[in-house]
Amino acid sequence: MDFTRLRLLVELDRLGTMVAVSEVTGMSTSAVSKHFAVLEKEARVPLIVPDGRRVRLTPAGRRLAEHAVDILARVEQAQAEFDGEGEPVGRVDLVMYTSAAPVVLPALRRLREDHPGIDIRLTEHESDQALTLLQDGGADLGIVYQYSILPRDFPGTLSVHPVGTEGLLLAQPSADGDSRTLTRRKLREFSDASWIASPFRGDEEALIRRMCADAGFIPRIAHRIDNLRLFEDLVAARSGVGVVPRLTAETRRGVAHAPLGEVGGARQVYLAGRTGTWAWRPIRLVARYLHESATGILDDVPPLDLE
Protein backbone atom coordinates (compact mmCIF):
# COMPACT_ATOMS: atom_id res chain seq x y z
CA MET A 1 0.00 0.00 0.00
CA ASP A 2 1.18 3.49 -0.85
CA PHE A 3 2.36 5.57 2.12
CA THR A 4 0.67 8.69 0.73
CA ARG A 5 -2.73 7.00 0.73
CA LEU A 6 -2.18 5.69 4.25
CA ARG A 7 -1.39 9.24 5.40
CA LEU A 8 -4.62 10.46 3.79
CA LEU A 9 -6.55 7.78 5.66
CA VAL A 10 -5.00 8.85 8.97
CA GLU A 11 -5.89 12.48 8.25
CA LEU A 12 -9.48 11.55 7.36
CA ASP A 13 -9.81 9.64 10.62
CA ARG A 14 -8.47 12.67 12.48
CA LEU A 15 -10.31 15.46 10.63
CA GLY A 16 -13.55 13.76 9.53
CA THR A 17 -14.12 15.39 6.10
CA MET A 18 -12.64 15.20 2.62
CA VAL A 19 -12.54 19.02 2.49
CA ALA A 20 -10.43 19.20 5.65
CA VAL A 21 -8.05 16.54 4.31
CA SER A 22 -7.77 18.50 1.07
CA GLU A 23 -6.89 21.68 2.95
CA VAL A 24 -4.11 20.18 5.09
CA THR A 25 -2.56 18.18 2.23
CA GLY A 26 -2.89 20.73 -0.57
CA MET A 27 -4.64 18.19 -2.80
CA SER A 28 -7.96 18.77 -4.48
CA THR A 29 -10.93 16.93 -3.01
CA SER A 30 -11.28 14.93 -6.22
CA ALA A 31 -7.65 13.81 -5.99
CA VAL A 32 -8.17 12.80 -2.36
CA SER A 33 -11.29 10.85 -3.35
CA LYS A 34 -9.41 9.01 -6.11
CA HIS A 35 -6.66 8.02 -3.67
CA PHE A 36 -9.25 6.53 -1.35
CA ALA A 37 -10.84 4.61 -4.21
CA VAL A 38 -7.44 3.05 -5.04
CA LEU A 39 -6.81 2.29 -1.37
CA GLU A 40 -10.13 0.43 -1.12
CA LYS A 41 -9.18 -1.69 -4.13
CA GLU A 42 -5.83 -2.51 -2.50
CA ALA A 43 -7.51 -3.37 0.83
CA ARG A 44 -10.31 -5.30 -0.91
CA VAL A 45 -12.87 -4.05 1.63
CA PRO A 46 -14.92 -0.83 1.92
CA LEU A 47 -13.06 1.74 4.01
CA ILE A 48 -15.36 4.78 3.70
CA VAL A 49 -19.15 5.15 3.61
CA PRO A 50 -21.27 8.30 3.12
CA ASP A 51 -22.67 9.84 6.27
CA GLY A 52 -24.96 12.69 5.22
CA ARG A 53 -22.71 15.36 3.66
CA ARG A 54 -19.70 13.83 5.30
CA VAL A 55 -18.03 10.44 5.20
CA ARG A 56 -17.06 8.10 7.95
CA LEU A 57 -14.69 5.20 8.21
CA THR A 58 -16.02 1.68 8.29
CA PRO A 59 -14.74 -0.65 11.05
CA ALA A 60 -12.19 -1.94 8.53
CA GLY A 61 -11.20 1.64 7.71
CA ARG A 62 -10.68 2.50 11.37
CA ARG A 63 -8.58 -0.61 11.88
CA LEU A 64 -6.43 0.18 8.85
CA ALA A 65 -5.99 3.74 10.10
CA GLU A 66 -4.71 2.35 13.41
CA HIS A 67 -2.18 0.19 11.55
CA ALA A 68 -1.25 3.16 9.35
CA VAL A 69 -0.31 5.29 12.37
CA ASP A 70 2.17 2.64 13.50
CA ILE A 71 3.47 1.98 9.98
CA LEU A 72 4.08 5.64 9.22
CA ALA A 73 5.77 6.20 12.58
CA ARG A 74 8.17 3.36 11.84
CA VAL A 75 8.86 4.71 8.37
CA GLU A 76 9.64 8.14 9.79
CA GLN A 77 11.91 6.58 12.42
CA ALA A 78 13.78 4.61 9.77
CA GLN A 79 14.14 7.69 7.60
CA ALA A 80 15.52 9.65 10.54
CA GLU A 81 18.12 6.95 11.15
CA PHE A 82 19.26 6.95 7.54
CA ASP A 83 19.32 10.75 7.51
CA GLY A 84 21.62 10.69 10.55
CA GLU A 85 19.00 11.99 12.97
CA GLY A 86 18.26 10.32 16.28
CA GLU A 87 19.99 7.38 17.91
CA PRO A 88 21.22 4.68 15.49
CA VAL A 89 19.55 1.32 16.00
CA GLY A 90 20.24 -2.05 14.43
CA ARG A 91 22.13 -5.33 14.54
CA VAL A 92 25.64 -5.61 13.11
CA ASP A 93 27.20 -9.07 12.73
CA LEU A 94 30.97 -8.67 13.10
CA VAL A 95 33.44 -11.43 12.24
CA MET A 96 36.96 -11.21 13.65
CA TYR A 97 40.12 -13.27 14.03
CA THR A 98 41.12 -14.13 17.60
CA SER A 99 44.17 -11.91 18.01
CA ALA A 100 42.21 -8.83 16.87
CA ALA A 101 40.68 -8.72 20.37
CA PRO A 102 42.90 -5.80 21.57
CA VAL A 103 41.37 -3.71 18.79
CA VAL A 104 37.81 -5.04 18.85
CA LEU A 105 36.97 -5.26 22.56
CA PRO A 106 37.75 -1.62 23.50
CA ALA A 107 35.71 -0.48 20.50
CA LEU A 108 32.73 -2.59 21.60
CA ARG A 109 32.87 -1.20 25.14
CA ARG A 110 32.77 2.38 23.84
CA LEU A 111 29.99 1.59 21.38
CA ARG A 112 27.87 0.01 24.13
CA GLU A 113 28.24 3.18 26.20
CA ASP A 114 27.74 5.69 23.36
CA HIS A 115 25.21 3.88 21.15
CA PRO A 116 23.33 1.20 23.11
CA GLY A 117 20.85 0.79 20.25
CA ILE A 118 23.51 -0.93 18.12
CA ASP A 119 23.46 -4.68 18.78
CA ILE A 120 26.81 -6.22 17.82
CA ARG A 121 27.07 -10.00 17.41
CA LEU A 122 30.58 -11.48 17.24
CA THR A 123 31.76 -14.52 15.30
CA GLU A 124 35.34 -15.78 15.45
CA HIS A 125 36.94 -16.95 12.20
CA GLU A 126 40.28 -16.74 10.48
CA SER A 127 40.38 -14.37 7.52
CA ASP A 128 39.77 -16.94 4.77
CA GLN A 129 36.56 -18.12 6.43
CA ALA A 130 35.60 -14.56 7.39
CA LEU A 131 35.76 -13.39 3.79
CA THR A 132 33.55 -16.29 2.71
CA LEU A 133 31.08 -15.47 5.48
CA LEU A 134 30.95 -11.83 4.38
CA GLN A 135 30.32 -12.79 0.76
CA ASP A 136 27.52 -15.19 1.74
CA GLY A 137 25.76 -12.59 3.88
CA GLY A 138 26.55 -14.37 7.17
CA ALA A 139 28.29 -11.27 8.50
CA ASP A 140 27.98 -7.54 7.86
CA LEU A 141 31.46 -6.38 8.75
CA GLY A 142 34.79 -8.14 9.24
CA ILE A 143 38.22 -7.37 10.58
CA VAL A 144 40.64 -9.42 8.49
CA TYR A 145 44.34 -9.49 7.64
CA GLN A 146 46.92 -10.43 5.07
CA TYR A 147 50.67 -10.88 5.33
CA SER A 148 52.55 -8.16 3.46
CA ILE A 149 54.76 -10.67 1.63
CA LEU A 150 51.73 -12.84 0.78
CA PRO A 151 49.00 -10.43 -0.42
CA ARG A 152 45.46 -11.77 -0.83
CA ASP A 153 43.13 -11.41 -3.78
CA PHE A 154 40.15 -9.87 -1.98
CA PRO A 155 36.79 -10.80 -3.58
CA GLY A 156 35.42 -8.17 -5.93
CA THR A 157 32.06 -8.25 -4.13
CA LEU A 158 33.73 -6.85 -1.00
CA SER A 159 35.31 -3.50 -0.31
CA VAL A 160 38.22 -3.35 2.14
CA HIS A 161 39.69 -0.43 4.07
CA PRO A 162 43.15 -0.58 5.70
CA VAL A 163 43.24 0.12 9.44
CA GLY A 164 46.92 -0.46 10.21
CA THR A 165 49.73 -2.97 10.42
CA GLU A 166 50.96 -5.31 13.12
CA GLY A 167 54.54 -6.44 13.50
CA LEU A 168 55.45 -10.14 13.40
CA LEU A 169 57.91 -11.83 15.72
CA LEU A 170 59.99 -14.99 15.70
CA ALA A 171 59.42 -16.82 18.98
CA GLN A 172 62.61 -18.71 19.86
CA PRO A 173 64.23 -20.23 22.96
CA SER A 174 65.99 -17.42 24.79
CA ALA A 175 69.08 -19.61 25.24
CA ASP A 176 69.51 -19.77 21.46
CA GLY A 177 68.31 -16.36 20.29
CA ASP A 178 67.96 -12.67 21.02
CA SER A 179 65.50 -9.87 20.44
CA ARG A 180 67.29 -8.10 17.61
CA THR A 181 65.52 -7.73 14.27
CA LEU A 182 65.84 -10.90 12.25
CA THR A 183 68.14 -11.11 9.23
CA ARG A 184 68.35 -13.87 6.64
CA ARG A 185 71.72 -14.90 8.03
CA LYS A 186 70.24 -15.15 11.52
CA LEU A 187 67.20 -17.02 10.17
CA ARG A 188 69.47 -19.63 8.58
CA GLU A 189 70.60 -20.59 12.08
CA PHE A 190 67.11 -22.13 12.49
CA SER A 191 67.33 -24.27 9.37
CA ASP A 192 67.51 -27.44 11.50
CA ALA A 193 64.92 -26.28 14.05
CA SER A 194 61.48 -27.79 14.62
CA TRP A 195 59.00 -25.20 13.39
CA ILE A 196 55.52 -24.65 14.81
CA ALA A 197 52.57 -23.70 12.58
CA SER A 198 48.84 -23.46 13.18
CA PRO A 199 46.68 -26.32 11.90
CA PHE A 200 43.98 -23.77 10.99
CA ARG A 201 45.90 -20.92 9.35
CA GLY A 202 47.33 -22.06 6.05
CA ASP A 203 48.65 -18.60 5.31
CA GLU A 204 50.81 -18.75 8.46
CA GLU A 205 52.55 -21.89 7.23
CA ALA A 206 52.88 -20.32 3.78
CA LEU A 207 54.57 -17.30 5.40
CA ILE A 208 57.06 -19.53 7.24
CA ARG A 209 57.87 -21.48 4.09
CA ARG A 210 58.23 -18.30 2.02
CA MET A 211 60.61 -16.47 4.36
CA CYS A 212 62.70 -19.61 4.97
CA ALA A 213 62.91 -20.25 1.23
CA ASP A 214 64.16 -16.68 0.76
CA ALA A 215 66.83 -17.48 3.38
CA GLY A 216 67.84 -20.60 1.46
CA PHE A 217 66.30 -23.54 3.28
CA ILE A 218 63.08 -25.55 3.65
CA PRO A 219 61.66 -25.46 7.20
CA ARG A 220 60.67 -28.67 8.96
CA ILE A 221 57.12 -28.14 10.29
CA ALA A 222 57.20 -30.48 13.29
CA HIS A 223 54.28 -29.18 15.36
CA ARG A 224 50.84 -27.94 14.39
CA ILE A 225 49.62 -25.99 17.39
CA ASP A 226 47.00 -23.23 17.65
CA ASN A 227 46.87 -22.76 21.43
CA LEU A 228 49.17 -19.85 22.28
CA ARG A 229 50.11 -21.13 25.75
CA LEU A 230 51.11 -24.52 24.40
CA PHE A 231 52.97 -22.79 21.58
CA GLU A 232 55.00 -20.74 24.07
CA ASP A 233 55.56 -23.81 26.28
CA LEU A 234 57.09 -25.65 23.34
CA VAL A 235 59.37 -22.72 22.56
CA ALA A 236 60.42 -22.35 26.21
CA ALA A 237 61.17 -26.10 26.32
CA ARG A 238 63.46 -25.62 23.31
CA SER A 239 61.21 -27.88 21.25
CA GLY A 240 60.36 -25.47 18.47
CA VAL A 241 60.30 -21.98 16.97
CA GLY A 242 57.52 -20.13 15.21
CA VAL A 243 55.95 -16.84 14.17
CA VAL A 244 53.59 -14.86 16.40
CA PRO A 245 51.87 -11.48 15.85
CA ARG A 246 53.10 -8.73 18.15
CA LEU A 247 49.74 -8.36 19.94
CA THR A 248 49.65 -12.00 21.02
CA ALA A 249 53.29 -12.36 22.10
CA GLU A 250 53.73 -13.02 25.82
CA THR A 251 56.77 -12.06 27.87
CA ARG A 252 57.87 -15.17 29.70
CA ARG A 253 61.00 -16.91 30.86
CA GLY A 254 62.70 -19.05 28.26
CA VAL A 255 61.25 -17.27 25.21
CA ALA A 256 62.82 -14.51 23.16
CA HIS A 257 60.96 -12.57 20.46
CA ALA A 258 62.78 -11.09 17.48
CA PRO A 259 60.98 -8.78 15.00
CA LEU A 260 60.86 -10.37 11.56
CA GLY A 261 61.55 -7.06 9.85
CA GLU A 262 61.91 -7.27 6.07
CA VAL A 263 62.51 -11.03 6.28
CA GLY A 264 58.86 -11.75 7.10
CA GLY A 265 57.13 -8.40 6.69
CA ALA A 266 54.07 -7.46 8.73
CA ARG A 267 50.41 -8.32 9.16
CA GLN A 268 48.20 -5.81 7.36
CA VAL A 269 44.77 -5.35 8.95
CA TYR A 270 41.61 -4.36 7.09
CA LEU A 271 37.93 -3.71 7.63
CA ALA A 272 35.91 -5.63 5.05
CA GLY A 273 32.25 -5.50 4.07
CA ARG A 274 30.01 -6.06 1.09
CA THR A 275 30.09 -3.24 -1.39
CA GLY A 276 27.17 -0.92 -0.69
CA THR A 277 26.71 -1.76 3.00
CA TRP A 278 28.86 1.11 4.27
CA ALA A 279 26.03 3.62 3.77
CA TRP A 280 24.07 2.18 6.70
CA ARG A 281 24.80 4.28 9.77
CA PRO A 282 25.28 1.47 12.35
CA ILE A 283 27.88 -0.23 10.15
CA ARG A 284 29.68 3.06 9.55
CA LEU A 285 29.76 3.75 13.28
CA VAL A 286 31.12 0.30 14.14
CA ALA A 287 33.80 0.72 11.47
CA ARG A 288 34.81 4.13 12.81
CA TYR A 289 35.01 2.91 16.40
CA LEU A 290 37.18 -0.02 15.31
CA HIS A 291 39.43 2.35 13.39
CA GLU A 292 39.75 4.68 16.38
CA SER A 293 40.56 1.72 18.61
CA ALA A 294 43.30 0.63 16.20
CA THR A 295 45.05 3.96 16.66
CA GLY A 296 47.71 3.44 19.32
CA ILE A 297 47.47 -0.35 19.04
CA LEU A 298 48.41 -0.98 15.42
CA ASP A 299 51.16 0.71 13.43
CA ASP A 300 50.77 2.92 10.35
CA VAL A 301 47.06 3.62 10.92
CA PRO A 302 45.78 5.61 7.89
CA PRO A 303 42.72 7.88 7.77
CA LEU A 304 39.51 5.92 7.28
CA ASP A 305 37.64 6.83 4.11
CA LEU A 306 34.33 5.00 3.76
CA GLU A 307 33.11 7.03 0.80
Side-chain angles (χ1 to χ4, degrees):
M1 294 182 182
D2 183 83
F3 292 144
T4 298
R5 289 191 277 273
L6 290 178
R7 287 191 177 93
L8 292 175
L9 184 66
V10 171
E11 291 297 337
L12 182 61
D13 185 39
R14 182 173 69 91
L15 299 172
T17 69
M18 293 280 198
V19 174
V21 172
S22 174
E23 290 175 352
V24 299
T25 61
M27 295 183 183
S28 66
T29 53
S30 61
V32 171
S33 179
K34 289 178 181 178
H35 275 298
F36 283 130
V38 173
L39 186 61
E40 284 190 325
K41 289 182 180 179
E42 293 174 338
R44 299 179 182 178
V45 292
L47 301 175
I48 303 168
V49 292
D51 186 13
R53 301 185 65 179
R54 300 164 60 93
V55 295
R56 60 179 173 82
L57 298 183
T58 65
R62 288 195 300 272
R63 184 56 178 158
L64 182 57
E66 292 172 2
H67 281 302
V69 169
D70 184 57
I71 291 168
L72 295 173
R74 290 178 179 273
V75 170
E76 291 173 2
Q77 182 183 19
Q79 189 63 56
E81 288 180 18
F82 280 94
D83 289 343
E85 302 171 2
E87 179 62 26
V89 176
R91 171 175 167 173
V92 176
D93 290 306
L94 174 65
V95 59
M96 58 173 281
Y97 57 94
T98 306
S99 59
V103 172
V104 173
L105 298 185
L108 297 196
R109 284 194 293 269
R110 289 186 53 227
L111 271 163
R112 188 167 55 247
E113 294 170 358
D114 297 347
H115 301 289
I118 298 179
D119 177 21
I120 299 178
R121 308 290 179 90
L122 282 179
T123 301
E124 178 191 5
H125 275 303
E126 284 301 316
S127 294
D128 285 337
Q129 293 83 3
L131 292 170
T132 299
L133 197 67
L134 288 164
Q135 290 182 90
D136 295 342
D140 303 307
L141 184 64
I143 183 162
V144 299
Y145 68 84
Q146 69 176 10
Y147 293 118
S148 60
I149 68 171
L150 293 171
R152 295 181 186 275
D153 289 326
F154 288 107
T157 54
L158 303 179
S159 59
V160 295
H161 302 273
V163 292
T165 62
E166 179 185 3
L168 298 170
L169 308 172
L170 178 69
Q172 56 194 299
S174 56
D176 301 328
D178 56 42
S179 58
R180 290 177 293 182
T181 300
L182 201 66
T183 63
R184 286 184 175 85
R185 186 178 66 179
K186 178 65 177 177
L187 180 58
R188 281 193 289 272
E189 295 179 10
F190 298 97
S191 60
D192 294 327
S194 297
W195 285 79
I196 307 169
S198 169
F200 306 120
R201 293 187 294 277
D203 51 356
E204 180 182 282
E205 180 173 334
L207 171 69
I208 292 171
R209 293 189 181 279
R210 169 69 178 274
M211 70 181 196
C212 291
D214 289 345
F217 68 95
I218 298 174
R220 181 169 61 92
I221 309 294
H223 312 293
R224 299 190 183 278
I225 301 297
D226 195 60
N227 181 277
L228 180 61
R229 181 172 294 277
L230 179 56
F231 174 98
E232 298 278 6
D233 286 343
L234 283 170
V235 175
R238 305 183 68 179
S239 296
V241 299
V243 173
V244 291
R246 175 177 58 81
L247 294 181
T248 61
E250 295 183 353
T251 301
R252 57 171 297 174
R253 179 178 298 178
V255 179
H257 294 104
L260 296 190
E262 294 182 358
V263 172
R267 175 183 271 186
Q268 298 169 327
V269 183
Y270 298 86
L271 288 171
R274 292 186 301 281
T275 302
T277 63
W278 303 95
W280 192 43
R281 193 177 172 208
I283 288 180
R284 292 175 70 88
L285 277 170
V286 174
R288 293 194 183 282
Y289 273 68
L290 289 169
H291 177 263
E292 291 172 6
S293 179
T295 304
I297 296 177
L298 299 178
D299 302 318
D300 308 317
V301 178
L304 181 62
D305 183 8
L306 297 179
E307 300 303 328

